[in-house]
C-alpha cells in the first residue's frame, strides 16, 4: 500500500488513523500542559456542585426526577434554578449517554417531538427560563412526546420554565418550585470554596449584612464572594475580613468619573499605554507589563524617541502615576480592587479608534517569549479583551478577531488565543447563539486560512460538544469533509460519535442522505466499526437492528463498494468479518447481509464486487484472531449469502473456482 508523509511545522506529531499517514506538527498540536477545554466545562460544573446551597424544594425536585425521569423547575429569577438544574442532571452522569442542552429552533436541532432526540442514559436540559410566551407554548406542545422518549430510554430531563408562565394541566404534576436559599449561607459556602479562612467570615459583618439586606440574585452573591476572595489575596497581613468586604463593596461602585479624571491627567502616550497594559494584563509580572507596554506603543505607531537609558523614569515611578504598584512577588496591580475593569471600559467606550489596535497588540503580546507569560496570563488577556467586545454587543468583531489571529503564519499561542476567544463568545448568554451560527457558516461555507480550521475543530470538539453535541456533530462533519487532510477533524468526529449511539445514528443518516461524495465515503469508513453497531445499550436494540440504520449502512456501503478501490475499503470489511467470526449470532450476521445487499445494488459491477467481498473474506481468515474454523465459517456464510443473492443456490467454499476471485 502506498503511504505518504507530510511535515509542516517542527514542534510535535499526530497520526490520523488508518490509511495514508499525514504528519501535522506545530501550531496544530495543543500544549500538553493545557487542560482540554471540555475539562474546563466539566470543572465549572464540578464547581457548581461544590458551591450550591440546595434551594428550597431541591429534595422534591430530586425525588421527582428519580421517580419519573423528568422535572419542571419553576422559581423566581436569581433563585439558583438554572444551577440547580445542571447539578440535578450531573448526579445522573454515567458512562452511557451524554449531556445535551436542548435548543429547539436552532439550526440542526431536532424537534422535541422527534424520538431520535433521546438516547439511553442522556441527561437533557431545556432551559426556557428567559423564553417569551410563544416560545414557551411551542415547547410545551413538544414536552409530552419528549417525556415519553425520556422514559423509554431511561434518560433524564430537567426543564426550567419561565417564572409565572402558564403550564398545561397535564404537566402540573411535574412542576417543582425552587425557593431561594439563604443569602448568608450561599455567601459563606462560596467563601469556603475560595479558601477564605472560616474564622474570618463566621463573625457578623456590617457590610455583609447591608449587602444581603436586599434579596440578591445568586450570581450577585457569587460575584461579591469572588471580590472578597481577590481582596483577601491582595491584602496586607494586618488587614482582615472587614477590610476585604469594604474593598469588595467599593469595587462595585461606579468609577467612570474617577477613571476619566485620571486619564485626563495623563497626557503622554507612554503613560496611557502603561495604564491600558496594566488593565489588560492585571496581575502579570512587571517584566511582562514593561514589554507589553512598549509593544502597545509600537503597535499604535512609530516608537517615540527615548532618552538615555539611565535618564528614563523607572517602572515604579511610572506605575505610581497610574495608581498601580508592584507586589513583593513582582506582579503589578492597581491599588483599588477591580479598578482594572473600570479602566478597560473607559478606553473601550471613549476611544473607539483604539479597538482594532488592541486586537493586533494582544496577538503580538501572546507571542512574546518570556517565562512569566504563562497560560493563565495569556488566557486572562484574551478574556478581558473578549469581555469588552461582548459587553458592548460586538460579537461579530470578536469572531473576526479570532479568525484573524489564526489565519496568518502558524503560531501555537495565537491558535490557543483564538480558541479561547471563541469559547468566551459561546459561553456568553446573550450572544452564544450568534457564535454557534457563525461557527456553522465557517465550517460549512467559508474558505478557511491558516490554522483557523484547526481552531474550529478544537472549539467544536471540546467546547460546543460539551453542551450541544448535535451542533458539534454537524460542524465537525463539514470540517472533516472539507478540511480532513489538514486538521484533526476526522479524529474529533470519531471521538464524538463514539460517545453516543444517537450521534452515530445521526452521522450515518447524514452520510446516506444523498449520493455520498468521496470525502463522505472516507468519513463513513472511519465511523463504521462493527462493535458499536452490534452492541445493545440497556434495553434498546443494537443499532444494526434498526431499519433506518440498516438503510444508511447499505447506502453508504453501496457507494463505497462501487466508487472506491478495494484497498481503500478492505481493512474495514475485514474488521466486519473478524467481528462476525468472534461474535456469532443474528446481530453479527446482519453485517454480512448488509454487505451482500449493498453489493447487489452495484448494478453491472455487482459480480466483480461480490468477488472482491469474497476475496476480502478469505484474506481476513489469515489475520483473524481466535479459532480459524470460525473465520472460515464466516467466509462460507458470506459465500452462501452471495450465492443466494445471485439466485445460484448454496455453494461450498472449497471449490477451486470459489477460491480464485480477486480484484
Amino acid at each position: 500500500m502506498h503511504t505518504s508523509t507530510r511535515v509542516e511545522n517542527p514542534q510535535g506529531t499526530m497520526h490520523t488513523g488508518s490509511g495514508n499517514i499525514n504528519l501535522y506538527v506545530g501550531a496544530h498540536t495543543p500544549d500538553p500542559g493545557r487542560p482540554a477545554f471540555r475539562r474546563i466545562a466539566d470543572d465549572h460544573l464540578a464547581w457548581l456542585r461544590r458551591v450550591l446551597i440546595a434551594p428550597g424544594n431541591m429534595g422534591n425536585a430530586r425525588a421527582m426526577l428519580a421517580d419519573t425521569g423528568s422535572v419542571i423547575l419553576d422559581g423566581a429569577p436569581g433563585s439558583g434554578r438554572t444551577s440547580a438544574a445542571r447539578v440535578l442532571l450531573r448526579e445522573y452522569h454515567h458512562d452511557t449517554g451524554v449531556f445535551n442542552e436542548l435548543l429547539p429552533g436552532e439550526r440542526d436541532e431536532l424537534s422535541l417531538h422527534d424520538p431520535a432526540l433521546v438516547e439511553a442514559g442522556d441527561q437533557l436540559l431545556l432551559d426556557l427560563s428567559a423564553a417569551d410566551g410563544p416560545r414557551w407554548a411551542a415547547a410545551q406542545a413538544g414536552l409530552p412526546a419528549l417525556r415519553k422518549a425520556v422514559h423509554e430510554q431511561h434518560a433524564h430531563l430537567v426543564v426550567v420554565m419561565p417564572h409565572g408562565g402558564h403550564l398545561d394541566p397535564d404537566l402540573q404534576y411535574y412542576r417543582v418550585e425552587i425557593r431561594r436559599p439563604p443569602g448568608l449561607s450561599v455567601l459563606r459556602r462560596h467563601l469556603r470554596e475560595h479558601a477564605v479562612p472560616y474564622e474570618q467570615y463566621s463573625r457578623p459583618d456590617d457590610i455583609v449584612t447591608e449587602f444581603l439586606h436586599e434579596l440578591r440574585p445568586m450570581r450577585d452573591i457569587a460575584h461579591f464572594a469572588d471580590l472578597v476572595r481577590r481582596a483577601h489575596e491582595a491584602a496586607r497581613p494586618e488587614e482582615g475580613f472587614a477590610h476585604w468586604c469594604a474593598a469588595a463593596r467599593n469595587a462595585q461602585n461606579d468609577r467612570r468619573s474617577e477613571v476619566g479624571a485620571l486619564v485626563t491627567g495623563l497626557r503622554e502616550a507612554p503613560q496611557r499605554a502603561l495604564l491600558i497594559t496594566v488593565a489588560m494584563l492585571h496581575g502579570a509580572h512587571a517584566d511582562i507589563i514593561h514589554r507589553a507596554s512598549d509593544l502597545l506603543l509600537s503597535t499604535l505607531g512609530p516608537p517615540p524617541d527615548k532618552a538615555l537609558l539611565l535618564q528614563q523614569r523607572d517602572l515604579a515611578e511610572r506605575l505610581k502615576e497610574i495608581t498601580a504598584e508592584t507586589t513583593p512577588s513582582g506582579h503589578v496591580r492597581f491599588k483599588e480592587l477591580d479598578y482594572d475593569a473600570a479602566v478597560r471600559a473607559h478606553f473601550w467606550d471613549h476611544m473607539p479608534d483604539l479597538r482594532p489596535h488592541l486586537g493586533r497588540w494582544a496577538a503580538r503580546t501572546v507571542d512574546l517569549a518570556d517565562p512569566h507569560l504563562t497560560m493563565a496570563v495569556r488566557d486572562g488577556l484574551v478574556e478581558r479583551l473578549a469581555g469588552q467586545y461582548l459587553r458592548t454587543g460586538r460579537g461579530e468583531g470578536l469572531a473576526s478577531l479570532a479568525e484573524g489571529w489564526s489565519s496568518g503564519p502558524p503560531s501555537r499561542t495565537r491558535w490557543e488565543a483564538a480558541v479561547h476567544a471563541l469559547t468566551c463568545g459561546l459561553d456568553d448568554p446573550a450572544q452564544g447563539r450568534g457564535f454557534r451560527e457563525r461557527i456553522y457558516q465557517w465550517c460549512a461555507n467559508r474558505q478557511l486560512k491558516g490554522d483557523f480550521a484547526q481552531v474550529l475543530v478544537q472549539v467544536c470538539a471540546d467546547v460546543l460538544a460539551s453542551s450541544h453535541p448535535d451542533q458539534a456533530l454537524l460542524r465537525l462533519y463539514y470540517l472533516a469533509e472539507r478540511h480532513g487532510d489538514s486538521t484533526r477533524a476526522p479524529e474529533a468526529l470519531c471521538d464524538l460519535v463514539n460517545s453516543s449511539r444517537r450521534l452515530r445514528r445521526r452521522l450515518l443518516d447524514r452520510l446516506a442522505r444523498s449520493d455520498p461524495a468521496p470525502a463522505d465515503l472516507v468519513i463513513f469508513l472511519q465511523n463504521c466499526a462493527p462493535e458499536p453497531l452490534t452492541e445493545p445499550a440497556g434495553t434498546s436494540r443494537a443499532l444494526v437492528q434498526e431499519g433506518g440504520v440498516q438503510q444508511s449502512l447499505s447506502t453508504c456501503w453501496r457507494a463505497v463498494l462501487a466508487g472506491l478501490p478495494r484497498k481503500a475499503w478492505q481493512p474495514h470489511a475485514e474488521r466486519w468479518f473478524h467481528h462476525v467470526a468472534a461474535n456469532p449470532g443474528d446481530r453479527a450476521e446482519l453485517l454480512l447481509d448488509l454487505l451482500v445487499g449493498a453489493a447487489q445494488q452495484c448494478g453491472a459491477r455487482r459480480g466483480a464486487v461480490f468477488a472482491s467481498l469474497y476475496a476480502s473474506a478469505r484474506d481476513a481468515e489469515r489475520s483473524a484472531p481466535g479459532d480459524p474454523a470460525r473465520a472460515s465459517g464466516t467466509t462460507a456464510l458470506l459465500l452462501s449469502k452471495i450465492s443466494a443473492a445471485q439466485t445460484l443456490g448454496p455453494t461450498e467454499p472449497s471449490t477451486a473456482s470459489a477460491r480464485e476471485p480477486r480484484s
Side-chain angles (χ1 to χ4, degrees):
M1 181 178 73
H2 172 69
T3 62
S4 64
T5 302
R6 177 180 301 148
V7 181
E8 293 186 353
N9 306 310
Q11 295 182 21
T13 63
M14 65 176 70
H15 181 249
T16 61
S18 60
N20 290 352
I21 299 174
N22 298 286
L23 186 61
Y24 308 109
V25 191
H28 293 205
T29 306
D31 184 348
R34 169 184 291 277
F37 285 89
R38 182 179 297 184
R39 206 189 80 196
I40 292 175
D42 290 342
D43 288 348
H44 175 68
L45 187 53
W47 168 259
L48 281 181
R49 292 185 67 188
R50 293 200 303 272
V51 299
L52 182 73
I53 293 289
N57 270 341
M58 183 72 164
N60 291 339
R62 185 176 284 114
M64 179 66 69
L65 188 61
D67 291 344
T68 69
S70 306
V71 64
I72 301 174
L73 298 185
D74 195 359
S79 60
R81 53 197 170 149
T82 56
S83 294
R86 293 177 182 275
V87 169
L88 284 170
L89 288 172
R90 180 64 181 179
E91 293 173 355
Y92 289 93
H93 176 69
H94 301 296
D95 293 336
T96 59
V98 296
F99 174 81
N100 188 3
E101 184 172 353
L102 305 179
L103 298 169
E106 285 199 22
R107 185 189 296 273
D108 205 51
E109 287 283 333
L110 294 175
S111 163
L112 299 183
H113 294 87
D114 194 332
L117 185 64
V118 188
E119 190 55 76
D122 282 352
Q123 308 106 52
L124 307 176
L125 172 63
L126 181 57
D127 183 2
L128 294 168
S129 55
D132 57 17
R135 187 178 172 214
W136 171 232
Q140 283 195 78
L143 283 181
L146 177 60
R147 285 198 60 260
K148 181 175 184 292
V150 165
H151 176 75
E152 291 174 347
Q153 295 290 350
H154 301 283
H156 293 87
L157 167 69
V158 177
V159 180
V160 185
M161 65 175 287
H163 185 53
H166 169 75
L167 187 63
D168 291 344
D170 291 346
L171 297 171
Q172 284 288 350
Y173 174 77
Y174 306 99
R175 175 182 170 273
V176 174
E177 184 171 4
I178 290 295
R179 293 195 297 268
R180 183 182 180 279
L184 182 60
S185 298
V186 174
L187 178 65
R188 287 179 171 177
R189 174 66 62 82
H190 277 81
L191 293 174
R192 186 188 76 182
E193 294 300 326
H194 284 314
V196 176
Y198 173 76
E199 61 272 13
Q200 293 284 347
Y201 62 77
S202 61
R203 298 187 295 270
D205 180 87
D206 291 342
I207 294 176
V208 170
T209 301
E210 179 185 353
F211 173 75
L212 295 176
H213 180 69
E214 300 179 21
L215 292 180
R216 302 275 183 174
M218 295 299 103
R219 59 183 174 274
D220 288 359
I221 297 176
H223 178 60
F224 185 81
D226 188 62
L227 289 172
V228 173
R229 185 266 305 173
R230 289 159 55 195
H232 168 226
E233 292 173 351
R236 298 182 180 88
E238 67 273 13
E239 295 171 341
F241 187 67
H243 178 89
W244 310 337
C245 290
R249 179 189 58 190
N250 294 338
Q252 295 179 313
N253 295 334
D254 186 352
R255 286 184 162 142
R256 285 179 294 182
S257 59
E258 182 182 345
V259 172
L262 174 65
V263 173
T264 300
L266 301 174
R267 307 307 303 178
E268 299 178 8
Q271 293 175 308
R272 293 186 173 186
L274 182 62
L275 181 62
I276 294 169
T277 301
V278 174
M280 297 298 294
L281 288 161
H282 196 250
H285 194 273
D287 290 356
I288 298 299
I289 298 295
H290 174 73
R291 294 185 63 186
S293 178
D294 285 349
L295 198 60
L296 179 57
L297 287 171
S298 67
T299 301
L300 294 171
D305 294 335
K306 288 194 173 183
L308 293 175
L309 181 61
L310 291 178
Q311 293 178 344
Q312 297 176 24
R313 293 179 299 164
D314 65 21
L315 185 59
E317 181 183 353
R318 296 172 60 210
L319 289 173
K320 188 175 181 180
E321 292 177 343
I322 63 171
T323 69
E325 61 186 0
T326 305
T327 67
S329 62
H331 296 82
V332 177
R333 298 180 181 276
F334 287 112
K335 295 179 181 179
E336 295 292 331
L337 185 64
D338 235 25
Y339 197 80
D340 56 309
V343 172
R344 291 193 297 272
H346 176 88
F347 279 103
W348 187 268
D349 293 344
H350 299 291
M351 283 187 149
D353 292 342
L354 183 65
R355 296 169 187 168
H357 299 289
L358 288 177
R360 290 192 293 273
W361 166 74
R364 297 177 66 188
T365 300
V366 299
D367 271 346
L368 289 174
D370 191 293
H372 295 296
L373 191 62
T374 61
M375 288 188 295
V377 173
R378 290 189 180 98
D379 289 350
L381 172 59
V382 173
E383 288 170 13
R384 290 170 184 133
L385 182 57
Q388 297 308 306
Y389 279 100
L390 297 170
R391 178 181 66 85
T392 54
R394 300 180 181 274
E396 185 63 45
L398 178 60
S400 298
L401 187 67
E403 183 178 13
W405 280 349
S406 51
S407 297
S411 165
R412 178 181 60 82
T413 52
R414 293 193 187 195
W415 181 93
E416 291 180 337
V419 173
H420 210 72
L422 293 178
T423 300
C424 291
L426 287 169
D427 287 343
D428 186 76
Q431 299 183 64
R433 179 171 185 167
F435 271 85
R436 291 191 291 271
E437 178 61 25
R438 289 184 189 98
I439 290 172
Y440 173 86
Q441 295 298 336
W442 277 323
C443 295
N445 300 318
R446 293 277 295 276
Q447 292 298 318
L448 308 177
K449 300 177 182 178
D451 286 338
F452 193 51
Q454 185 59 40
V455 166
L456 294 176
V457 171
Q458 184 80 28
V459 169
C460 292
D462 280 353
V463 184
L464 197 58
S466 66
S467 55
H468 306 100
D470 292 74
Q471 294 200 13
L473 176 79
L474 179 65
R475 288 149 181 78
L476 284 173
Y477 159 73
Y478 283 127
L479 289 168
E481 183 184 48
R482 302 174 66 222
H483 303 279
D485 292 338
S486 58
T487 68
R488 288 184 57 254
E491 177 186 344
L493 181 61
C494 288
D495 289 344
L496 180 59
V497 166
N498 286 336
S499 70
S500 167
R501 285 163 42 103
R502 180 174 56 81
L503 296 178
R504 187 178 301 278
R505 184 189 297 112
R506 292 205 69 184
L507 177 62
L508 292 172
D509 176 70
R510 163 72 60 170
L511 292 169
R513 191 171 297 176
S514 57
D515 261 350
D520 293 325
L521 301 184
V522 173
I523 294 172
F524 168 71
L525 290 175
Q526 293 167 337
N527 290 277
C528 71
E531 293 82 5
L533 293 172
T534 56
E535 292 172 357
T539 59
S540 301
R541 297 177 299 168
L543 280 174
V544 74
Q545 294 174 302
E546 299 178 10
V549 173
Q550 290 179 8
Q551 184 174 353
S552 297
L553 290 169
S554 181
T555 298
C556 291
W557 266 117
R558 180 200 58 77
V560 165
L561 296 172
L564 295 182
R566 178 184 164 195
K567 67 179 182 180
W569 56 259
Q570 178 172 336
H572 305 279
E574 284 192 5
R575 187 171 177 181
W576 278 37
F577 295 140
H578 291 164
H579 184 78
V580 175
N583 301 273
D586 292 343
R587 287 196 301 271
E589 190 173 332
L590 278 173
L591 300 178
L592 300 183
D593 293 332
L594 288 168
L595 287 173
V596 172
Q600 193 173 16
Q601 298 176 51
C602 290
R605 294 197 63 245
R606 71 172 188 162
V609 173
F610 280 141
S612 295
L613 275 179
Y614 178 72
S616 297
R618 292 301 304 271
D619 290 342
E621 291 182 29
R622 293 192 289 271
S623 58
D627 187 355
R630 286 189 174 183
S632 60
T634 298
T635 304
L637 182 59
L638 175 72
L639 184 59
S640 70
K641 291 179 180 295
I642 290 174
S643 299
Q646 293 180 312
T647 66
L648 297 179
T651 304
E652 293 298 325
S654 57
T655 63
S657 60
R659 296 180 182 273
E660 293 301 320
R662 292 289 188 272
S663 65

